[in-house]
Amino acid sequence: MGNSLGNLYKLTTFGESHGPAIGGVIDGCPAGVELDLNKIQSELDRRKPGQSSITTQRKEPDQVKFLSGIFNGKTTGTSIGYIIENTNQRSKDYTHNTDVYRPSHADLTYDKKYGHRDYRGGGRSSARETANWIVGGAIARQFLKNIKISAYTSAVGNIFLDKDYTELDLNKTENNIVRCPDQATATQMIKRIEEIKKQGDTIGGVITCVIRNVPTGLGEPIFNKLQAELGKAMLSINAVKGFEYGSGFHGATMKGSEHNDIFNPDGTTLTNYSGGIQGGISNGMDVYFRVAFKPVATIMQEQPTINSKGEKTAIQGKGRHDPCVVPRAVPIVEALSAMVVADLFLQHRARNRD
Amino acid sequence: MGNSLGNLYKLTTFGESHGPAIGGVIDGCPAGVELDLNKIQSELDRRKPGQSSITTQRKEPDQVKFLSGIFNGKTTGTSIGYIIENTNQRSKDYTHNTDVYRPSHADLTYDKKYGHRDYRGGGRSSARETANWIVGGAIARQFLKNIKISAYTSAVGNIFLDKDYTELDLNKTENNIVRCPDQATATQMIKRIEEIKKQGDTIGGVITCVIRNVPTGLGEPIFNKLQAELGKAMLSINAVKGFEYGSGFHGATMKGSEHNDIFNPDGTTLTNYSGGIQGGISNGMDVYFRVAFKPVATIMQEQPTINSKGEKTAIQGKGRHDPCVVPRAVPIVEALSAMVVADLFLQHRARNRD
Amino acid sequence: MGNSLGNLYKLTTFGESHGPAIGGVIDGCPAGVELDLNKIQSELDRRKPGQSSITTQRKEPDQVKFLSGIFNGKTTGTSIGYIIENTNQRSKDYTHNTDVYRPSHADLTYDKKYGHRDYRGGGRSSARETANWIVGGAIARQFLKNIKISAYTSAVGNIFLDKDYTELDLNKTENNIVRCPDQATATQMIKRIEEIKKQGDTIGGVITCVIRNVPTGLGEPIFNKLQAELGKAMLSINAVKGFEYGSGFHGATMKGSEHNDIFNPDGTTLTNYSGGIQGGISNGMDVYFRVAFKPVATIMQEQPTINSKGEKTAIQGKGRHDPCVVPRAVPIVEALSAMVVADLFLQHRARNRD
Amino acid sequence: MGNSLGNLYKLTTFGESHGPAIGGVIDGCPAGVELDLNKIQSELDRRKPGQSSITTQRKEPDQVKFLSGIFNGKTTGTSIGYIIENTNQRSKDYTHNTDVYRPSHADLTYDKKYGHRDYRGGGRSSARETANWIVGGAIARQFLKNIKISAYTSAVGNIFLDKDYTELDLNKTENNIVRCPDQATATQMIKRIEEIKKQGDTIGGVITCVIRNVPTGLGEPIFNKLQAELGKAMLSINAVKGFEYGSGFHGATMKGSEHNDIFNPDGTTLTNYSGGIQGGISNGMDVYFRVAFKPVATIMQEQPTINSKGEKTAIQGKGRHDPCVVPRAVPIVEALSAMVVADLFLQHRARNRD
């Protein structure tokens, strides 16, 4: 278990970073969705390594190849299989890690859980898996035509974008390599990442995501609430340490008289501390949330560690890694959001005819 | 959809606050677990309304009645059905709400989603549902004998407990009505809630939860990571706005060289920014997380609102409600945690023989 | 696991024949379905023991009590909880069985699987569980207003109803206690059951079921084919040994040139060897199938057997049991069919808008 | 939905016969299973087209290519991805079918369900999909080392193998091309198929399957009974019209005093009408069942039919098709059985420690 996301729009994936390919199966996409395959590829390009000076310099084309479920440019309603070949896996980069447990990596836990693991590049725990999610999300977005999902970098380390999303022009997110729609802040963030990189270190950050035009009624009450499914999806990203929506942790400091969103006559609300969700169900307002990313565990500095026998040793990153994962995670957050919304959209539609 | 939590240890629930009873089915609890029914009831008592001066004054005995799956004091391995009768539903308290949408409640979203709703006490969206979770969690805890789950109130509004959980004696949590193990902070918190109550207002807060003795290997990689399942469960609680584990949002400001948890020779780590989880799998260290609660939406002050026709009206809470939901949510956080851990424990065991 | 049927229309059940009650949760029934509760009860009455001279003489009112999910006579779209109290469990009838494994019962397998079992009346393996299915099916039928599901007894032992369902008036099924719409055959069947009963023996039989007005398009290809879901549901009935649909086992003797169903211009077919299903998907023709029931294992004759220690002993049925389960199973087959069709109906609708 | 089989041992598939490849993901296979890849390929060879004079002459190597989840010859416990390239799809064979509904094929139902379909070779409804199942089953068999699954052809049209499986040497099944372990009957069956082929017609048949050494305790009571999961899997095979286990339809004619399996002191039974299953749970005796296959719908004779506009036309098979699907279905029945048993094995093990 553990390799599938979703119920009615379901992605099931496989793949290690150093095998021949990663890939997956998208089950449940309705028939007749016209697919622009270039758009899918361009989402993959937003995630791919080597895209800018502040990402890993590893180059990988990440070319998706569809194998089924699409005919004459449209989905057939049957399962969509695809693969993305691994073309630039330098296993040699990892031979020094065969028996060493990298700090804050999943080496030890995989060994304890499975006994037998593919140690090259983290095996299945590699963030390469997220390319699969981009494919699943890119198709979901084309199905959900009218729903607009926009994520952006809102913090890198201690550099915070101190503006509410409503004050920003989210069309500007792609204008810079850190994917922050506020250019002044972006410049600071990039500078910070470059410094960190020079130190052989890494840094965390925060992504904010806004989903507009969500129809009222999405989300199943009790255990498949919209926020719970979004949170679960985000917490599936390797480096994510926290999730908050609407007023979030700040809301915990507020009083009810401040926090309640007063209705306008049309059912919209004056404020949106609720983050577009009431009782787990979308209310038609913008859904928005923030996702915290820890710093990448692989650093270019030497660190003490142990091997599988419990012997002390040391390790220093030799692969090509990201100093800050956040810019490349922006399309990942969007993709996961799209899959969650598509899934809940189908669940809702199953029981509603109009 | 939406009324089940878990895969191998699964709770399926039903019930509205103003129907004859709530209840559920626990499917997947192994056979032969000796159950102390008094312990289950005492968990329900920790959650029940009317237990102290800072909770709602509504009194409800919340007596669980088991109907199946237990024989001669032990689980039989078949499904455990139970009900909790609703004895103190004062529907009259809600007749004034029939057609009014309460701000930051689920009235509008249920109406939009379902067209037809039980408006008494919020119907299915009522937090009364959480009594069901206590039952599911209390049985999970008895199955997971050696795993110790301890939640406590770590913030009420702006009153924060500024100590790490490792500095606290978590056996003291039940020593005061706000369920904060630091008595000095607890006193301040209680005072704050009493003030808020006097204002007819409500206040948010934060719960911290620590899970000790989690065996290494729990959590399924990719989409059923331990943190993702915990996060999903917590975000299913009505008032929850955020979830973070380990270093959480603070971790996003850190550098890799600071954040990485260096191994001791025995596989434990010097620090635990990871929160006991690597690659979605427990590493044997303490699992800990924080959950943010918004202020309760029902306040005793008059607020402007609308009815289902979009007409302006006003509303003022008349039922008996909590000024701060956090103290009563402590056992809920523990119960959900127990169910998540039991579920992942069984998933892991299915594939491991030793 | 094992206590839920369905995906989008899902029934989860609990209960032993000798506990206080059986019951369940129906999750996924759309909101706004007007429910005639008398019709649900009358389906239970068709199944209940003691209804005629050829069924067990045990009397049990089987009164369903709904606890949630219904408001002002209509479903709310949230989970429907219900219980059926066990009023006539004579545990004494079973005290002689505490440690004895009854031949062709589930005593040994439950003991081996669970170690600990409720031996009274078969515990969870009791056919009393099927009352739960009646409730789930009766609500599904009210949701599926236009789809007509008709099952009937088509064989008792070697007495076969040698007519195709198209030659029968299925409105006559309830005209006799054996539930065979052909009165002449019914008379023979009843006589046969009476003879068998006098011998202290039991006899098997066959039920045929016809589902009319199934919309084209129900059933998910590959692994959730309409016939696969129907077959699985039928094979969940304790005594069922076989399932065939359309041409069934006879079709295995035919040639393609005989078996192919030639189309009429309107898409209907001249013959219906397909049983209304092609590629797992309903084609608009009648769906029909046959279900084989073994003779009830509890007989009033003495049989040699063993106890849990492997010691030889003997046993003779002392409870009140059915000489032939088939007449009472007719509404069970219908109920399971209704749940399967409702589930696939919702699955189909999730992905189709028109 | 519809493209996954199993819960803890789960196969999810994709692919059309005329796309670049079919493939799938196996999720839940435990780590550390040593895989003999040649054995997997040899199972595929037993199913592949063109293997003998009585199968379709289409040649397809059906070479499986694993992409993940296997490292140094052993499973890693993560998802196993694989593809099988389509090398011999002659789409031209199907261009005449673009708009024609072939009788007793899924053309009309796919069109009605999806609106948009890949008409080449039946698209997703093609039996080519069964190659995927072989892969899933072949790995399950290597996991289930000690459990022996043996299927064989027990009828072709009206030629029946009139011997119980206990009278046969099931090691002889592969000695002839029709896969019947009784050589005299096999000769007749082959002759029959050759005649039918000469007529441009097709013929149905029956496969019997025996599973030995099933541990006691597999199968989840109520809705995931062993027989129900086996039946569902078998009814997923395109041409299957019926399933019976143990005494099957014949059991419906028997009396309880004849049908009950009397225990030996060791818990085995003198007879095995039960088919190795009581209450849905394996009892340690052989599990056996029979599966009925209709004749292949594509015949080389001209048949009247309609197109999607309801216009009358005629059709004659032009592709290379099987005159009788049964011999090639023998490994398919075994593969599905293996997946079902592996899944229930894991489900049982999740809750049992010894």
Side-chain angles (χ1 to χ4, degrees):
Chain A
M1 313 291 291
N3 296 290
S4 293
L5 183 74
N7 194 334
L8 294 194
Y9 185 95
K10 177 153 62 175
L11 174 71
T12 301
T13 66
F14 64 84
E16 287 88 39
S17 59
H18 287 67
I22 65 169
V25 185
I26 298 157
D27 196 1
C29 186
V33 177
E34 290 191 39
L35 288 185
D36 180 338
L37 300 186
N38 291 331
K39 267 195 191 168
I40 298 169
Q41 188 58 50
S42 75
E43 288 300 308
L44 280 164
D45 294 346
R46 290 175 73 206
R47 191 215 74 100
K48 80 173 173 191
Q51 65 184 267
S52 83
S53 62
I54 57 169
T55 66
T56 169
Q57 291 311 297
R58 189 159 30 87
K59 297 264 184 200
E60 192 119 37
D62 280 357
Q63 191 76 39
V64 63
K65 186 176 169 188
F66 288 101
L67 301 174
S68 71
I70 303 171
F71 187 63
N72 292 338
K74 290 194 285 188
T75 58
T76 60
T78 58
S79 52
I80 300 171
Y82 69 88
I83 57 171
I84 302 170
E85 283 172 24
N86 293 325
T87 58
N88 190 10
Q89 66 273 38
R90 300 204 312 216
S91 299
K92 279 172 297 183
D93 283 354
Y94 297 95
T95 49
H96 62 303
N97 291 340
T98 306
D99 189 43
V100 173
Y101 292 156
R102 296 168 294 164
S104 288
H105 271 282
D107 301 338
L108 175 139
T109 53
Y110 268 65
D111 251 16
K112 298 279 185 195
K113 186 175 185 70
Y114 296 117
H116 173 62
R117 92 186 143 92
D118 181 350
Y119 47 75
R120 301 165 305 167
R124 184 72 177 130
S125 74
S126 165
R128 177 142 186 73
E129 160 70 9
T130 57
N132 278 323
W133 309 352
I134 296 285
V135 178
I139 291 178
R141 288 177 99 155
Q142 298 199 29
F143 165 58
L144 298 170
K145 261 179 278 190
N146 299 320
I147 298 176
K148 189 157 174 50
I149 302 171
S150 312
Y152 60 91
T153 301
S154 54
V156 167
N158 283 306
I159 300 169
F160 302 100
L161 171 53
D162 279 327
K163 286 178 182 164
D164 190 79
Y165 79 87
T166 54
E167 304 167 60
L168 299 166
D169 177 355
L170 301 186
N171 294 313
K172 293 189 177 166
T173 297
E174 294 297 310
N175 288 3
N176 55 65
I177 58 178
V178 80
R179 296 201 165 95
C180 174
D182 183 79
Q183 190 56 50
T185 313
T187 305
Q188 287 181 279
M189 288 171 169
I190 293 166
K191 198 172 148 234
R192 182 77 182 116
I193 295 174
E194 283 167 347
E195 286 164 11
I196 284 288
K197 188 182 169 187
K198 223 168 286 171
Q199 297 165 15
D201 213 337
T202 59
I203 188 92
V206 176
I207 289 175
T208 297
C209 184
V210 187
I211 316 179
R212 302 191 209 234
N213 297 331
V214 182
T216 310
L218 303 197
E220 299 297 315
I222 315 302
F223 292 120
N224 297 94
K225 291 184 163 85
L226 177 48
Q227 72 268 34
E229 297 296 352
L230 286 170
K232 178 184 169 174
M234 297 308 144
L235 286 155
S236 301
I237 306 174
N238 287 334
V240 169
K241 303 300 288 185
F243 170 88
E244 59 179 4
Y245 80 104
S247 63
F249 275 86
H250 177 66
T253 67
M254 293 173 76
K255 294 197 284 187
S257 56
E258 299 162 344
H259 192 279
N260 283 350
D261 294 316
I262 301 303
F263 283 111
N264 296 312
D266 62 358
T268 61
T269 55
L270 283 170
T271 49
N272 184 14
Y273 291 112
S274 300
I277 304 174
Q278 280 303 354
I281 302 165
S282 60
N283 67 4
M285 299 294 289
D286 293 347
V287 173
Y288 65 97
F289 55 87
R290 297 172 73 243
V291 187
F293 290 77
K294 70 168 187 176
V296 171
T298 300
I299 60 177
M300 298 300 124
Q301 304 174 2
E302 189 176 281
Q303 299 172 97
T305 195
I306 60 168
N307 64 19
S308 68
K309 296 172 207 75
E311 297 161 343
K312 289 189 182 184
T313 177
I315 193 164
Q316 184 172 344
K318 285 187 189 147
R320 297 151 296 170
H321 298 276
D322 289 277
C324 180
V325 81
V326 170
R328 286 178 59 207
V330 166
I332 297 167
V333 166
E334 292 176 355
L336 288 169
S337 301
M339 284 193 279
V340 166
V341 172
D343 191 35
L344 293 174
F345 183 92
L346 294 174
Q347 288 185 44
H348 179 63
R349 196 165 71 175
R351 305 212 179 69
N352 288 275
R353 207 66 205 110
D354 54 334
Chain B
M1 312 290 291
N3 296 290
S4 294
L5 182 74
N7 194 336
L8 294 194
Y9 185 95
K10 177 152 62 175
L11 174 70
T12 301
T13 66
F14 65 84
E16 285 89 37
S17 59
H18 288 67
I22 64 169
V25 185
I26 297 157
D27 196 0
C29 186
V33 178
E34 290 191 39
L35 288 185
D36 179 338
L37 300 186
N38 290 331
K39 268 196 189 167
I40 299 169
Q41 187 58 48
S42 75
E43 287 300 308
L44 279 165
D45 293 346
R46 289 176 73 207
R47 191 214 75 100
K48 78 175 174 191
Q51 64 183 268
S52 83
S53 62
I54 59 170
T55 65
T56 167
Q57 291 311 297
R58 189 162 26 92
K59 298 266 185 200
E60 191 120 39
D62 280 356
Q63 191 77 38
V64 63
K65 186 176 170 189
F66 288 102
L67 301 174
S68 72
I70 303 172
F71 187 62
N72 291 338
K74 290 194 285 188
T75 58
T76 60
T78 58
S79 51
I80 301 170
Y82 69 87
I83 57 171
I84 302 170
E85 284 172 25
N86 293 325
T87 57
N88 189 10
Q89 65 275 36
R90 299 206 311 216
S91 300
K92 279 172 297 180
D93 282 354
Y94 297 95
T95 48
H96 62 303
N97 291 339
T98 307
D99 189 43
V100 173
Y101 291 156
R102 294 169 296 164
S104 289
H105 271 282
D107 301 338
L108 176 139
T109 53
Y110 268 65
D111 250 15
K112 297 280 185 194
K113 186 174 184 71
Y114 296 117
H116 174 61
R117 94 187 143 92
D118 179 350
Y119 47 75
R120 299 165 305 165
R124 185 73 178 131
S125 74
S126 164
R128 178 143 186 72
E129 161 70 9
T130 58
N132 278 323
W133 309 352
I134 296 285
V135 178
I139 291 178
R141 289 177 97 154
Q142 298 199 29
F143 166 58
L144 298 170
K145 262 180 276 190
N146 299 321
I147 298 176
K148 189 157 174 49
I149 302 171
S150 312
Y152 60 92
T153 300
S154 53
V156 168
N158 282 306
I159 300 168
F160 301 101
L161 171 53
D162 278 328
K163 288 178 181 164
D164 191 78
Y165 78 86
T166 55
E167 304 167 60
L168 298 166
D169 178 356
L170 301 187
N171 294 313
K172 294 189 176 166
T173 298
E174 294 297 312
N175 289 3
N176 55 64
I177 56 177
V178 80
R179 297 203 163 93
C180 173
D182 184 79
Q183 188 58 48
T185 313
T187 305
Q188 286 182 281
M189 288 171 168
I190 293 166
K191 199 174 147 231
R192 182 77 182 117
I193 295 173
E194 284 167 347
E195 285 164 11
I196 284 288
K197 188 181 167 186
K198 224 168 285 171
Q199 296 166 16
D201 212 335
T202 60
I203 188 92
V206 177
I207 289 175
T208 298
C209 184
V210 187
I211 317 181
R212 302 190 208 234
N213 298 330
V214 182
T216 311
L218 303 198
E220 300 298 313
I222 315 304
F223 292 120
N224 296 95
K225 291 183 164 85
L226 176 48
Q227 72 268 33
E229 297 296 353
L230 285 171
K232 179 184 168 173
M234 297 308 143
L235 287 154
S236 300
I237 306 174
N238 286 335
V240 169
K241 303 300 289 186
F243 170 89
E244 59 179 3
Y245 79 104
S247 63
F249 274 87
H250 178 66
T253 66
M254 294 172 75
K255 294 197 284 188
S257 56
E258 300 162 341
H259 192 278
N260 284 351
D261 294 317
I262 301 304
F263 283 112
N264 297 312
D266 63 356
T268 60
T269 55
L270 284 169
T271 49
N272 184 15
Y273 292 112
S274 299
I277 305 173
Q278 280 301 356
I281 301 166
S282 60
N283 66 5
M285 300 293 289
D286 292 347
V287 173
Y288 64 97
F289 56 86
R290 296 173 74 243
V291 187
F293 290 76
K294 69 168 188 177
V296 171
T298 301
I299 60 177
M300 299 300 124
Q301 302 173 1
E302 188 176 282
Q303 298 172 96
T305 194
I306 60 168
N307 63 19
S308 68
K309 295 172 209 76
E311 297 161 342
K312 289 189 183 185
T313 176
I315 193 164
Q316 183 172 343
K318 287 186 187 146
R320 295 151 297 170
H321 297 276
D322 288 277
C324 179
V325 81
V326 171
R328 285 178 59 208
V330 166
I332 297 168
V333 166
E334 292 177 356
L336 289 169
S337 301
M339 283 193 279
V340 166
V341 172
D343 191 35
L344 293 173
F345 182 93
L346 294 174
Q347 289 186 43
H348 179 62
R349 194 165 74 175
R351 304 211 179 70
N352 288 274
R353 207 68 206 105
D354 56 331
Chain C
M1 313 288 291
N3 296 291
S4 293
L5 182 74
N7 195 335
L8 293 195
Y9 185 95
K10 178 152 63 175
L11 174 71
T12 301
T13 66
F14 65 83
E16 287 88 39
S17 59
H18 288 67
I22 64 170
V25 185
I26 297 157
D27 195 1
C29 186
V33 177
E34 292 191 38
L35 288 185
D36 179 339
L37 300 185
N38 291 331
K39 267 195 189 168
I40 298 170
Q41 188 57 50
S42 74
E43 287 299 307
L44 280 165
D45 294 345
R46 289 176 74 207
R47 192 215 73 101
K48 79 174 173 190
Q51 65 184 269
S52 81
S53 61
I54 59 170
T55 66
T56 168
Q57 291 310 297
R58 189 162 27 90
K59 299 265 184 199
E60 192 120 36
D62 281 356
Q63 191 77 38
V64 64
K65 186 176 169 188
F66 288 102
L67 302 174
S68 72
I70 303 172
F71 187 62
N72 291 340
K74 290 194 285 188
T75 58
T76 59
T78 58
S79 52
I80 302 171
Y82 69 88
I83 58 169
I84 302 171
E85 284 173 24
N86 293 325
T87 56
N88 190 10
Q89 66 274 38
R90 300 205 312 215
S91 299
K92 278 171 299 180
D93 284 353
Y94 297 95
T95 50
H96 63 302
N97 291 339
T98 306
D99 189 42
V100 173
Y101 291 156
R102 293 168 296 164
S104 289
H105 270 282
D107 301 338
L108 176 139
T109 54
Y110 268 64
D111 249 16
K112 298 279 185 194
K113 186 175 184 70
Y114 296 116
H116 174 61
R117 93 186 142 91
D118 180 351
Y119 47 75
R120 299 165 305 166
R124 185 72 177 131
S125 74
S126 164
R128 178 143 186 72
E129 160 70 9
T130 56
N132 277 323
W133 309 353
I134 296 285
V135 178
I139 291 178
R141 289 177 97 154
Q142 299 199 29
F143 166 57
L144 298 170
K145 260 180 278 189
N146 299 320
I147 297 176
K148 188 157 175 49
I149 303 172
S150 311
Y152 60 91
T153 300
S154 53
V156 167
N158 283 306
I159 300 169
F160 301 101
L161 171 53
D162 279 328
K163 287 179 182 164
D164 191 78
Y165 79 86
T166 54
E167 304 167 60
L168 298 166
D169 178 355
L170 301 186
N171 294 313
K172 293 189 176 167
T173 297
E174 294 297 312
N175 289 2
N176 55 64
I177 57 178
V178 79
R179 296 202 165 94
C180 174
D182 183 80
Q183 189 57 49
T185 312
T187 305
Q188 285 181 281
M189 289 171 167
I190 294 167
K191 200 173 146 229
R192 182 78 181 115
I193 296 174
E194 284 167 348
E195 285 164 12
I196 284 288
K197 189 181 167 187
K198 223 168 284 173
Q199 295 165 17
D201 213 335
T202 59
I203 188 91
V206 176
I207 289 175
T208 298
C209 184
V210 186
I211 316 180
R212 303 190 209 234
N213 298 332
V214 182
T216 309
L218 302 198
E220 298 298 314
I222 315 304
F223 292 120
N224 296 96
K225 291 184 164 86
L226 177 47
Q227 72 268 34
E229 297 296 352
L230 285 171
K232 179 183 169 172
M234 297 307 143
L235 286 155
S236 301
I237 306 174
N238 286 334
V240 169
K241 303 301 288 186
F243 170 88
E244 59 179 3
Y245 79 104
S247 63
F249 275 86
H250 178 66
T253 67
M254 292 172 76
K255 295 197 285 188
S257 56
E258 298 162 343
H259 191 277
N260 284 351
D261 294 317
I262 300 305
F263 282 111
N264 297 312
D266 62 357
T268 62
T269 55
L270 283 170
T271 50
N272 184 14
Y273 291 113
S274 301
I277 304 172
Q278 279 302 355
I281 301 165
S282 60
N283 66 5
M285 300 292 290
D286 292 346
V287 173
Y288 64 97
F289 56 86
R290 296 172 73 242
V291 187
F293 290 76
K294 70 167 188 177
V296 171
T298 300
I299 59 176
M300 299 299 124
Q301 303 173 2
E302 188 176 282
Q303 297 173 97
T305 195
I306 59 169
N307 63 20
S308 68
K309 297 173 206 76
E311 297 162 342
K312 289 190 182 184
T313 177
I315 194 165
Q316 184 173 341
K318 286 187 189 146
R320 295 151 296 171
H321 297 277
D322 289 276
C324 180
V325 80
V326 171
R328 287 178 58 208
V330 165
I332 297 168
V333 166
E334 293 176 355
L336 289 169
S337 301
M339 284 193 279
V340 166
V341 172
D343 191 35
L344 294 173
F345 182 92
L346 294 174
Q347 289 186 42
H348 179 62
R349 195 164 74 174
R351 304 212 179 70
N352 287 277
R353 206 68 205 106
D354 55 333
Chain D
M1 313 290 293
N3 296 289
S4 294
L5 183 74
N7 194 334
L8 294 194
Y9 185 95
K10 177 153 63 174
L11 174 71
T12 301
T13 67
F14 65 85
E16 286 88 38
S17 59
H18 287 67
I22 65 169
V25 185
I26 297 158
D27 196 0
C29 186
V33 178
E34 291 191 39
L35 288 186
D36 180 339
L37 301 185
N38 291 332
K39 267 196 193 168
I40 299 169
Q41 188 57 50
S42 75
E43 288 299 308
L44 280 164
D45 293 346
R46 289 175 74 208
R47 191 216 73 101
K48 79 174 172 191
Q51 65 184 266
S52 82
S53 62
I54 58 169
T55 66
T56 168
Q57 291 311 297
R58 189 159 28 90
K59 299 265 184 199
E60 193 119 35
D62 279 356
Q63 191 77 37
V64 63
K65 187 176 170 189
F66 288 102
L67 301 174
S68 73
I70 303 172
F71 187 62
N72 292 338
K74 289 194 286 189
T75 57
T76 60
T78 58
S79 52
I80 301 171
Y82 69 88
I83 56 170
I84 302 170
E85 282 172 25
N86 294 325
T87 58
N88 190 10
Q89 65 273 36
R90 301 205 311 215
S91 299
K92 278 172 298 181
D93 284 354
Y94 298 95
T95 48
H96 62 303
N97 291 338
T98 307
D99 189 42
V100 173
Y101 291 156
R102 294 169 296 163
S104 289
H105 270 282
D107 301 339
L108 174 139
T109 54
Y110 268 64
D111 250 16
K112 298 279 185 195
K113 186 175 184 70
Y114 296 117
H116 174 61
R117 91 186 146 91
D118 180 351
Y119 48 75
R120 300 165 304 165
R124 185 72 178 132
S125 74
S126 165
R128 178 143 187 74
E129 160 70 10
T130 58
N132 277 324
W133 308 352
I134 296 285
V135 178
I139 290 178
R141 288 178 98 155
Q142 298 199 30
F143 166 58
L144 298 170
K145 260 181 278 192
N146 298 320
I147 297 176
K148 191 158 173 48
I149 302 172
S150 312
Y152 60 91
T153 300
S154 53
V156 168
N158 283 306
I159 300 169
F160 301 101
L161 172 53
D162 278 329
K163 287 178 182 164
D164 190 79
Y165 79 87
T166 55
E167 304 167 59
L168 298 167
D169 178 356
L170 300 187
N171 294 313
K172 294 189 176 166
T173 298
E174 293 298 311
N175 289 2
N176 56 63
I177 57 178
V178 78
R179 296 201 165 95
C180 173
D182 183 79
Q183 189 57 49
T185 313
T187 306
Q188 286 181 279
M189 287 171 168
I190 293 166
K191 198 172 148 234
R192 183 77 183 116
I193 295 174
E194 284 167 348
E195 285 164 10
I196 283 289
K197 189 182 167 186
K198 222 167 287 171
Q199 295 165 17
D201 213 336
T202 59
I203 188 94
V206 176
I207 289 175
T208 298
C209 184
V210 186
I211 317 179
R212 301 189 210 236
N213 297 332
V214 182
T216 310
L218 303 197
E220 299 298 314
I222 314 304
F223 293 121
N224 297 94
K225 291 185 164 85
L226 177 47
Q227 70 269 32
E229 297 296 352
L230 286 170
K232 179 183 168 173
M234 298 306 144
L235 287 156
S236 300
I237 307 174
N238 287 334
V240 169
K241 303 299 287 186
F243 170 88
E244 59 179 5
Y245 80 104
S247 62
F249 274 87
H250 177 66
T253 67
M254 293 173 74
K255 294 196 285 186
S257 56
E258 299 161 344
H259 191 278
N260 283 351
D261 293 317
I262 300 304
F263 283 112
N264 297 312
D266 63 358
T268 62
T269 54
L270 284 169
T271 49
N272 184 13
Y273 291 112
S274 300
I277 305 172
Q278 280 302 354
I281 301 165
S282 60
N283 67 5
M285 300 293 290
D286 294 346
V287 173
Y288 65 97
F289 57 85
R290 299 171 73 242
V291 187
F293 290 77
K294 70 167 187 176
V296 171
T298 300
I299 60 177
M300 297 301 124
Q301 303 172 3
E302 188 175 284
Q303 299 172 95
T305 195
I306 60 169
N307 63 18
S308 68
K309 296 172 208 76
E311 297 160 343
K312 288 190 181 184
T313 176
I315 194 164
Q316 182 172 344
K318 285 186 189 148
R320 295 151 297 171
H321 297 277
D322 289 278
C324 179
V325 81
V326 171
R328 286 177 60 207
V330 165
I332 297 167
V333 166
E334 292 176 356
L336 289 169
S337 301
M339 284 193 278
V340 166
V341 172
D343 191 36
L344 293 174
F345 182 92
L346 295 174
Q347 288 186 42
H348 179 63
R349 196 164 73 175
R351 304 211 180 70
N352 288 275
R353 207 65 207 110
D354 54 335

